[in-house]
Amino acid sequence: MSQIVIIGAGECGARAAFGLREKGFAGQVTLVGAEEHLPYERPPLSKDAMLHGHEPKLVSEAACYAEAGIQVLTGLSVESIDPAGKSVRLSNGGNLTYDRLLLTTGARPRPFPGFSGASNRIRTLRTHGDAVSIRTQLQPGKHLAVIGGGFIGLELAATARKLGAQVTLIEGLARILTRGVPEPVATVVAERHQAEGVEILCGVKIQDLAETRDNASILLEDGRTIVADLIVVGIGAVPNVELARDAGLAIDNGIAVDQHLRTSATDIYAAGDCCSFPSAHYGGLRMRLEAWRNAQDQGTLAAANLMGGAETMSAVPWFWSDQYDLTLQIAGIADGAAEIVRRDMAEGAFILFHLTADGRLLAASGIGIGNAIARDIRLAEMMIAAGVHPDRLALAAPGTKLKSLLAA
Amino acid sequence: MSNWVEVCATDEIDEEDVIRFDHEGKTFAVYRSPDDRFFATDGLCTHEKIHLADGLVMDDIIECPKHNGRFNYKTGEAKGAPSAST
């Protein structure tokens, strides 16, 4: 095997490329990305980068790719894959042949129905260019309307307040962060936003969006109209599966892979936001994660398996969000939990432990100032991976070191 | 011995744990290893300016509390992403 091609130059693709070299792969590694930049970190785009980053925070500097002998083709997209001929066709008319192919095509923002997301006043946030454009519009006196109370929308709302803009956030469901964040944690987030002056409207339905030369507006079903200078739509992401689907690969809420990240096509693997995989810790349940850590973990795992390994995806899902000086972290998936144990810590920080009926730890969700909950969430992640049945009273007692429960 | 700086009493750090120590405008992380020796490193992670003392110590490794960058606190060696490639 001498040539590995990676389509998609984000966190996952970059981690896979470096992972191949770290594991000693000596053949050709080519990383193809549609954006103009070298792979960069997306998490800062709704946070610090919005405040003061003029250049994206690169996953690795250009010199690191050169040193590792990784060929990076930026500003090029892949038009098609020929799984039988083992080649990919590039947007510049060129072809690349491969022995093994990795798809790290990521996800893109779900557009508001009927809107492309391409307007300057009604738009989404996914790329460095998006962040730069949004930032120029966020100044004192400007009004930002965010559609969607998920991580990206909330982080952007917090950043916009720091920049002095007025913010209204609209969520169609009864509360923010319904996907994967328990209500007590979401309440802390919502209350903090309200204290910072963000207007949060939950349970409101949007009838239509409109845009003029001077502003953009949201028409609500209850008859109200919210007029803003800028509307950012943050209603989730959809996996980039078109390339794989057109090549005949199995799709199931993402490019379907097995526990080794193999797609249904010979010698083609997929990793990161674009793929759905059977989760080892949750009964083989097929899931797709849109998360930075998962992109790293799966990129690294894909590298091992592209080289002939048969490692299985065993990482526990892990998510985080920073808003103001609060950090929220979640390890695991709480679906199916029968019981919640709460551990209260200093300065209002707390962690919820989600347990099955027989006491196995499924997930832990925490929030606090700075990194107050980080160490215990990390230990919870290790406990989930180990399948432990921790003592409930010990979990609830902040004086008990979680490390001591790892072997339970 | 006038250059010695008192950090803390030895029993203020548990075995296989870390505390933060600030001195003259700098911040440090001070470790007690499972084999009961003491080490110190820069207090901040190389990936982002995060206090390592909020992280988890397992054996000879400190993990950054933010993104799980891993370092051997005895040698300073980076042990995994995101620290390794930056």
Side-chain angles (χ1 to χ4, degrees):
Chain A
M1 188 171 57
S2 62
Q3 295 185 78
I4 292 176
V5 172
I6 302 170
I7 303 177
E11 183 78 41
C12 188
R15 276 316 314 159
F18 283 103
L20 287 167
R21 292 303 188 218
E22 284 157 17
K23 292 175 200 329
F25 179 69
Q28 206 171 337
V29 178
T30 307
L31 180 59
V32 187
E35 290 187 59
E36 297 296 331
H37 300 282
L38 285 173
Y40 58 87
E41 298 198 8
R42 293 192 199 280
L45 296 181
S46 48
K47 311 181 186 87
D48 284 358
M50 185 67 72
L51 295 176
H52 39 64
H54 294 282
E55 290 297 323
K57 180 176 169 60
L58 298 180
V59 174
S60 286
E61 298 298 324
C64 298
Y65 293 91
E67 194 182 323
I70 297 165
Q71 184 183 24
V72 191
L73 305 177
T74 55
L76 276 182
S77 52
V78 173
E79 304 274 299
S80 62
I81 302 167
D82 174 5
K86 291 192 146 185
S87 70
V88 302
R89 183 167 191 78
L90 301 174
S91 52
N92 66 358
N95 283 289
L96 294 172
T97 56
Y98 64 82
D99 295 303
R100 285 201 165 154
L101 178 67
L102 174 63
L103 304 175
T104 52
T105 50
R108 60 179 180 271
R110 178 175 289 125
F112 194 84
F115 286 79
S116 67
S119 150
N120 261 341
R121 286 198 187 275
I122 302 174
R123 62 172 312 140
T124 53
L125 171 55
R126 181 79 183 177
T127 67
H128 177 70
D130 292 336
V132 168
S133 171
I134 289 170
R135 180 175 53 204
T136 61
Q137 298 178 71
L138 294 179
Q139 297 147 17
K142 296 288 187 182
H143 183 193
L144 166 70
V146 176
I147 299 177
F151 283 164
I152 288 179
L154 289 161
E155 288 174 3
L156 177 61
T159 306
R161 289 300 298 141
K162 284 186 194 168
L163 291 168
Q166 183 193 343
V167 182
T168 304
L169 185 141
I170 295 161
E171 167 59 54
L173 299 174
R175 67 165 172 93
I176 59 166
L177 293 172
T178 47
R179 206 178 97 186
V181 180
E183 186 158 9
V185 175
T187 299
V188 172
V189 175
E191 287 175 352
R192 179 59 183 272
H193 275 280
Q194 284 155 350
E196 297 280 352
V198 175
E199 182 185 22
I200 298 182
L201 304 175
C202 287
V204 294
K205 300 290 181 230
I206 294 170
Q207 193 167 57
D208 202 4
L209 307 182
E211 183 181 4
T212 68
R213 196 170 58 87
D214 298 321
N215 59 43
S217 52
I218 303 172
L219 315 176
L220 300 180
E221 284 188 355
D222 62 15
R224 280 181 292 174
T225 299
I226 292 160
V227 178
D229 296 289
L230 172 66
I231 297 173
V232 175
V233 178
I235 55 173
V238 289
N240 293 320
V241 300
E242 290 74 8
L243 205 53
R245 189 185 59 207
D246 293 349
L249 275 58
I251 306 295
D252 181 359
N253 178 33
I255 303 167
V257 297
D258 66 8
Q259 72 271 32
H260 306 297
L261 301 177
R262 295 182 300 201
T263 71
S264 61
T266 309
D267 293 329
I268 304 181
Y269 294 67
D273 288 14
C274 70
C275 80
S276 70
F277 63 95
S279 172
H281 300 291
Y282 301 93
L285 177 73
R286 182 162 287 279
M287 57 177 67
R288 187 176 66 79
L289 301 176
E290 295 161 359
W292 179 85
R293 170 94 82 80
N294 179 62
Q296 286 204 330
D297 289 343
Q298 291 195 340
T300 303
L301 181 70
N305 291 349
L306 284 164
M307 290 173 62
E311 292 186 20
T312 57
M313 181 63 201
S314 62
V316 172
W318 182 87
F319 315 91
W320 100 94
S321 178
D322 296 331
Q323 296 166 42
Y324 309 104
D325 57 359
L326 289 173
T327 290
L328 172 169
Q329 289 192 5
I330 295 175
I333 305 286
D335 295 355
E339 187 184 351
I340 292 178
V341 173
R342 179 172 171 137
R343 180 183 181 92
D344 280 298
M345 303 159 75
E347 295 174 352
F350 65 90
I351 294 177
L352 303 177
F353 295 96
H354 309 264
L355 304 165
T356 60
D358 71 344
R360 183 167 66 90
L361 185 62
L362 277 178
S365 331
I367 191 162
I369 304 292
N371 291 305
I373 49 86
R375 186 187 311 199
D376 281 349
I377 291 286
R378 175 65 179 131
L379 284 160
E381 180 191 336
M382 296 164 81
M383 290 159 71
I384 295 164
V388 302
H389 295 63
D391 180 75
R392 290 167 176 78
L393 289 175
L395 282 179
T400 307
K401 284 201 158 194
L402 288 191
K403 207 186 258 182
S404 69
L405 305 179
L406 255 179
Chain B
M1 296 297 277
S2 61
N3 289 336
W4 285 87
V5 174
E6 182 173 329
V7 175
C8 63
T10 55
D11 63 1
E12 287 175 43
I13 314 180
D14 289 340
E15 278 187 20
E16 201 182 40
D17 209 344
V18 59
I19 63 164
R20 172 176 165 181
F21 175 63
D22 293 344
H23 182 68
E24 291 186 352
K26 290 184 176 171
T27 185
F28 302 89
V30 180
Y31 309 81
R32 184 174 186 175
S33 64
D35 57 354
D36 203 19
R37 290 191 290 155
F38 292 86
F39 298 85
T41 70
D42 193 307
L44 300 175
C45 181
T46 55
H47 177 242
E48 285 181 33
K49 298 305 174 202
I50 302 292
H51 286 280
L52 288 170
D54 290 331
L56 176 66
V57 177
M58 294 296 274
D59 298 322
D60 297 349
I61 305 298
I62 174 72
E63 285 188 354
C64 172
K66 201 71 183 185
H67 305 126
N68 299 107
R70 297 181 178 92
F71 304 86
N72 183 315
Y73 59 82
K74 293 182 175 177
T75 66
E77 184 189 0
K79 302 296 282 185
S83 55
S85 59
T86 54

